[in-house]
Amino acid sequence: MDIRSFYEKHRLNDQVARQAGFNPYYPLIQSALDDPLIIDGREFINLASNNYLGLANDPRVVKAAITGLKEYGVSMCSTPVAAGYSELFSKTEKALSGFSGLAETLIFPSCYQANNGLFQAIAHPEDLVLVDRFAHSSLLEGIKTAGCRYRPFRHNDLDHLEEIMKRSNQYNQVFVVTESVFSTEGSISPFREINELCLRHGAIPVVDDSHGIGVIGRTGRGILEHSGIRDFQGIYTASLGKALATAGGMIGGKKSLMDYLRYSVSHLLYSTAILPAALQALLKVLEIINQEFPEISARMWKYTHTLSGGLLESGYTLTGTITPIVSICTGDPVQTLLLSKEMYENGILGTPFIYPSVPEKEGRIRLISGANLKPESIERAVRIFHKIAKITV
Amino acid sequence: MELFKEVASIINRNKGKEIEIKPQDRLREDLNIDSLDTLMIGCDLEDQFHITIDPDEIKNLNVVQDIVDKLEMKISSCQTVNA
């Protein structure tokens, strides 16, 4: 292939965006996650961020980040294994372990890296990974690169999962991989039952709690608290950039495995350590959740119910209403972007998912009502959705 | 025809639907089947017909009849080997 052909081959296919007359991706944000959010000089109601508890621009968290910055500088300019593992890093790992109910935790620069790197270190060609059909791309991509056999099971379908497990005796080790709260559907995994199935069949459960940590469980500690699981024998991963409002990702579990992973996951070993400001901010976020979760989460849920109720009344089809993820079913990619365009023109930012992130005609627009929003913003969003429903539903 | 019915039933089971499937239905455009659905369908066919299907063999198929043809070929090659 010559140079010209190479560049011709690697061109963005923006046919869908051209058909819809709108590209909703990479909006240029001109403010912090405030209410309103500023894009292109205009005010927006932000229903796109995963800032569930609204702590990303909380003055106490910002102040903590500045403290981290002053104490350790901008970066440790090193991987954790070399000179990037500060006392603050270690303290934050311990705080996360305590918060999530895990024996030990590792912190990665992102959850994508954590999920991607995990399987390369633990899954081998003679192993089988069973993965929920709606699991996140970071998990699937990680599994694919591990070189083991993998097989999706139907979404949250315990019978299908067990049926496959019973047929899988020929593998050395079976892993069962799922999310806690599914990021596009807003459904919750029956994880207590999955964990029990794993214990019964000698499989290792792996759960990504990115949309559960800080959101579900009586005190916001995520899927293990939500499922009543103590002394978890599996592997736990989560993003620290959603309800926990900072950056990075984590892998947690038994101490012996974490000791092994510290020295065997390339994505941790060869990535510059997460920035100290993010770690210090994370400690403050955990402290705030420990003290204020009931009030903050009540606000988030109130907004979620107001929004989902209003959408249903206006005739939208939603995937479900049991988590703070409210996803509108929008059909094919062009229909999805057309609704997204109407929202944008009326000052609402959501997250559209189109093929190949979801099947061809199963487009979604995800809406998350963070606790930092004003009640009147949610009410206005409901009125706007009612107005544009006449055009789009 | 029997094989087609089995394939249609496996597609419906994996999509959680009960729709009428025709041999010339396009997998992606008409039936909403993506790469993971294809993999699940392939695995179910393996279980049901005791054959082995490499995911690469089915990832670029276009219509339902292509799956049936592939399955027919697999089954007949297995019978030849076992004869």
Side-chain angles (χ1 to χ4, degrees), chain A residues 133 140 149-154 160 167 355 359-362, chain B residues 13-15 28-29 32 34 36-37 39-40 43-44 46-47:
Chain A
R133 191 248 168 283
L140 286 165
R149 181 86 200 266
Y150 72 100
R151 180 170 180 173
F153 60 93
R154 292 195 284 275
H160 190 215
R167 294 174 192 269
Y355 181 86
E360 181 79 20
K361 290 176 189 164
E362 292 174 19
Chain B
R13 199 159 66 226
N14 278 294
K15 292 302 287 180
R28 181 184 143 188
E29 295 85 350
N32 247 355
D34 66 6
L36 277 181
D37 291 323
L39 186 59
M40 289 168 75
C43 290
D44 279 3
E46 284 185 331
D47 290 343

Side-chain angles (χ1 to χ4, degrees), chain A residues 155-392:
Chain A
H155 178 52
N156 281 348
D157 188 333
L158 292 166
D159 292 336
H160 190 215
L161 175 60
E162 185 163 27
E163 189 187 303
I164 301 171
M165 287 171 103
K166 282 180 182 166
R167 294 174 192 269
S168 303
N169 294 330
Q170 72 272 36
Y171 294 97
N172 184 48
Q173 179 62 57
V174 175
F175 297 90
V176 177
V177 180
T178 189
E179 286 180 46
S180 56
V181 175
F182 286 83
S183 57
T184 53
E185 300 301 294
S187 47
I188 300 186
S189 154
F191 191 64
R192 184 175 50 230
E193 291 80 0
I194 288 178
N195 190 49
E196 281 164 10
L197 266 182
C198 286
L199 289 172
R200 216 159 46 237
H201 290 271
I204 303 286
V206 180
V207 63
D208 177 341
D209 199 21
S210 290
H211 289 271
I213 191 168
V215 178
I216 59 173
R218 194 178 58 80
T219 61
R221 281 147 200 268
I223 189 66
L224 299 182
E225 182 183 51
H226 174 84
S227 311
I229 297 171
R230 286 164 192 252
D231 190 25
F232 182 47
Q233 299 295 304
I235 302 170
Y236 175 100
T237 74
S239 167
L240 309 175
K242 301 193 186 324
L244 300 193
T246 53
M250 64 183 279
I251 298 180
K254 288 172 81 75
K255 185 179 182 312
S256 58
L257 183 68
M258 295 306 114
D259 286 344
Y260 167 76
L261 293 178
R262 254 183 223 289
Y263 291 90
S264 43
V265 181
S266 309
H267 300 58
L268 177 66
L269 277 169
Y270 303 119
S271 295
T272 298
I274 186 169
L275 301 182
L279 293 170
Q280 193 74 63
L282 183 56
L283 285 175
K284 179 54 74 176
V285 167
L286 296 179
E287 191 186 310
I288 293 172
I289 295 176
N290 278 334
Q291 290 166 358
E292 300 175 19
F293 183 74
E295 305 91 89
I296 300 176
S297 91
R299 206 159 55 238
M300 172 189 72
W301 280 110
K302 187 174 177 223
Y303 292 166
T304 302
H305 293 143
T306 304
L307 181 66
S308 59
L311 287 165
L312 288 170
E313 264 182 41
S314 297
Y316 292 92
T317 305
L318 308 180
T319 54
T321 54
I322 55 167
T323 69
I325 291 176
V326 175
S327 276
I328 304 175
C329 301
T330 48
D332 71 28
V334 174
Q335 287 170 317
T336 304
L337 294 202
L338 284 173
L339 176 57
S340 188
K341 182 182 178 188
E342 283 296 329
M343 289 165 53
Y344 191 89
E345 284 172 355
N346 284 279
I348 297 179
L349 192 70
T351 308
F353 292 88
I354 59 172
Y355 181 86
S357 295
V358 290
E360 181 79 20
K361 290 176 189 164
E362 292 174 19
R364 306 274 185 260
I365 294 183
R366 184 178 69 193
L367 308 169
I368 295 171
S369 313
N372 61 313
L373 298 178
K374 299 177 193 122
E376 54 268 30
S377 298
I378 300 297
E379 283 155 21
R380 193 154 62 86
V382 168
R383 286 197 300 274
I384 291 169
F385 274 114
H386 186 71
K387 184 180 84 177
I388 64 178
K390 288 172 189 152
I391 310 165
T392 54

Side-chain angles (χ1 to χ4, degrees), chain A residues 55-71:
Chain A
L55 295 174
N57 196 30
D58 184 292
R60 295 166 294 178
V61 178
V62 174
K63 191 177 167 196
I66 294 168
T67 307
L69 195 60
K70 282 184 175 163
E71 200 168 329

